[in-house]
Amino acid sequence: MSAFERLPRIAHAVFQRLAVALKTPRARRALAAGVPDAAARVPFVVYFADVPSSAYQLRQWLPPLEALDAADGPVALLVRNPEVALALSSQTRLAVVFATDSATIEQFVSSHDVHLVFYVNNSQSNFTTLRINGPVHVHLSHGESEKSSMYSNQLKAYDYAFVAGDASAERIQANVRGIDPAHLVRVGRPQLALPEGTDLRPPAADTRHTVLYAPTWEGDGPRMAYGSLVTHGEQLVESLLADPRVRLVFRPHPKSGSHSSQYGLALARIKRRLATTASRAAGHELDRRINAVESISRADVVVADVSAMAMDALGLDKPLVLCTRAGLETGPLASHVATWAEETPADAAERLVELAGNPVSEDQARYRKHVFAAGTPAEAVSLFVEAAVRAAQRGVGGTS
């Protein structure tokens, strides 16, 4: 990449640093009242240091964490970005602590008798907190998928990794040399549990099949290049918009276009297509819901890439089509669901209508049981809470 091509990224990084500097004082003032008292015991914390575009990684864990907070809490969120901290403070009843430096984090962990620290991604900044002795360190990840990031060698740095089920444990043991199988704790996918009373009814009088197209981002390297926006996306969107039996919901990954101008342009064209008067009148939409699980739950059929969105569709028993291409490393999921290699087939709409009108295949249903340790999302929440409490007992002041 030439110096000229790097200019937009450099400018973006400078802008982000300036934004953080400007918002830091306001975040300190706004969040000060919610910080736990100096003597209060806070057995569980979540460490999150990333920017707003990655906040979805933590946000999807809020309901299970709130269940843990109610059962054996409190739980606090240690957040380093002011914009993320301010946003989370209005989205959860958990305490949000704005912690901008290592000294603040260490002081909080020490003074509040923290027994367990959760992490929801593989960020290098996690090692700022991982070096603290005493608490148990638990990797949660932010999804269950077959991406190579799901079996990073970084997992060995944590005391435990909470995983969805047997498929995840097998994937990690096959790829991470020397990992202790006892440190892989199966908890299902508790993020699939929607808040009580969530309304999933389709738009009034709409009898069409709702197709959710949820491509992942282009990745930051060849091993993570799972996105289908360029290979499949525009052709698929055009096919679905032309079929009166279908209502399209398009949910791109929050990072789409951040590393590839080609993906960015494809994303912009699809968004413009959905913004036309005809598309809006037909009820097609760019999905802006905070909770991706709600979007999957509303769909009749899901088209996704190798990603957590695909696994969540599997977990919610939605008919699934996986977009792949030659040379792309895929896992077992591709052999249990419908796949589209290289490009979108000409009869894509017809195939999706047929899938939407039938239950998931027996093969897909069987594989779901292998992937997820819990039968229902509610059972997964219970598994998560029980596993967190057991792990915390090994932390500061606990028993081994």
Side-chain angles (χ1 to χ4, degrees):
M1 182 180 291
S2 68
F4 179 77
E5 290 174 317
R6 288 198 299 269
L7 281 176
R9 284 195 198 177
I10 295 171
H12 180 68
V14 171
F15 176 79
Q16 281 197 327
R17 290 187 180 183
L18 179 60
V20 167
L22 292 174
K23 291 175 181 176
T24 291
R26 183 164 74 91
R28 290 193 193 282
R29 292 192 300 271
L31 298 170
V35 176
D37 294 337
R41 176 179 175 271
V42 183
F44 304 96
V45 300
V46 183
Y47 175 73
F48 189 79
D50 285 282
V51 296
S53 63
S54 297
Y56 71 93
Q57 297 171 338
L58 174 55
R59 196 179 295 117
Q60 63 181 257
W61 273 103
L62 293 178
L65 289 167
E66 288 174 351
L68 174 61
D69 181 83
D72 203 64
V75 176
L77 311 179
L78 299 184
V79 182
R80 297 193 70 154
N81 181 282
E83 191 173 346
V84 173
L86 288 168
L88 287 170
S89 67
S90 64
Q91 295 167 357
T92 180
R93 58 179 173 77
L94 302 176
V96 179
V97 179
F98 183 39
T100 58
D101 54 68
S102 300
T104 302
I105 295 167
E106 289 185 16
Q107 174 62 26
F108 187 93
V109 169
S110 174
S111 62
H112 292 86
D113 192 25
V114 172
H115 279 46
L116 187 151
V117 184
F118 289 118
Y119 305 82
V120 298
N121 57 27
N122 291 323
S123 173
Q124 292 183 18
S125 63
N126 289 353
F127 286 83
T128 300
T129 306
L130 264 167
R131 63 189 177 84
I132 300 175
N133 292 319
V136 172
H137 298 273
V138 175
H139 187 265
L140 293 179
S141 188
H142 53 276
E144 164 64 11
S145 81
E146 294 176 342
K147 288 185 176 182
S148 59
S149 58
M150 295 300 296
Y151 46 85
S152 165
N153 202 54
Q154 291 168 298
L155 290 175
K156 288 191 291 192
Y158 304 89
D159 296 299
Y160 297 100
F162 285 7
V163 300
D166 290 341
S168 182
E170 291 166 4
R171 185 187 314 124
I172 292 168
Q173 289 176 70
N175 290 280
V176 181
R177 185 184 300 113
I179 192 135
D180 185 347
H183 289 184
L184 304 177
V185 181
R186 294 157 176 78
V187 298
R189 184 82 162 105
Q191 303 98 306
L192 296 183
L194 284 169
E196 201 170 320
T198 303
D199 185 2
L200 298 176
R201 290 175 296 180
D206 194 340
T207 59
R208 294 174 297 171
H209 298 293
T210 297
V211 176
L212 173 65
Y213 173 45
T216 193
W217 67 310
E218 62 272 24
D220 54 6
R223 293 194 69 203
M224 288 293 289
Y226 297 99
S228 65
L229 266 179
V230 170
T231 54
H232 298 73
E234 292 181 86
Q235 185 179 352
L236 173 62
V237 168
E238 291 302 323
S239 174
L240 297 180
L241 294 183
D243 195 304
R245 298 170 296 175
V246 169
R247 189 175 75 88
L248 170 64
V249 177
F250 175 59
R251 187 183 180 92
H253 191 283
K255 290 186 176 182
S256 290
S258 61
H259 278 260
S260 165
S261 58
Q262 188 179 15
Y263 272 76
L265 291 171
L267 176 63
R269 287 191 292 267
I270 292 174
K271 285 183 174 181
R272 284 198 299 270
R273 187 70 176 85
L274 288 172
T276 63
T277 302
S279 292
R280 291 200 309 271
H284 305 297
E285 65 174 278
L286 173 65
D287 187 18
R288 302 182 187 278
R289 295 179 184 87
I290 291 177
N291 191 345
V293 175
E294 181 179 343
S295 303
I296 297 171
S297 299
R298 290 173 176 272
D300 296 309
V301 62
V302 176
V303 182
D305 306 331
V306 174
S307 65
M309 290 293 288
M311 285 298 194
D312 284 354
L314 178 77
L316 291 169
D317 284 326
K318 297 293 180 177
L320 173 64
V321 174
L322 198 67
C323 296
T324 65
R325 65 178 183 279
L328 183 69
E329 183 180 349
T330 59
L333 178 63
S335 62
H336 296 280
V337 300
T339 58
W340 290 343
E342 302 301 326
E343 61 183 19
T344 300
D347 61 344
E350 188 67 41
R351 296 192 194 186
L352 291 172
V353 167
E354 183 178 354
L355 282 172
N358 293 288
V360 299
S361 68
E362 292 183 6
D363 195 13
Q364 180 176 324
R366 278 194 302 271
Y367 190 60
R368 176 194 180 280
K369 294 178 181 178
H370 185 61
V371 172
F372 297 98
T376 67
E379 291 170 353
V381 172
S382 296
L383 275 179
F384 166 70
V385 170
E386 292 166 6
V389 172
R390 284 197 306 272
Q393 290 172 353
R394 298 177 179 270
V396 178
T399 56
S400 60

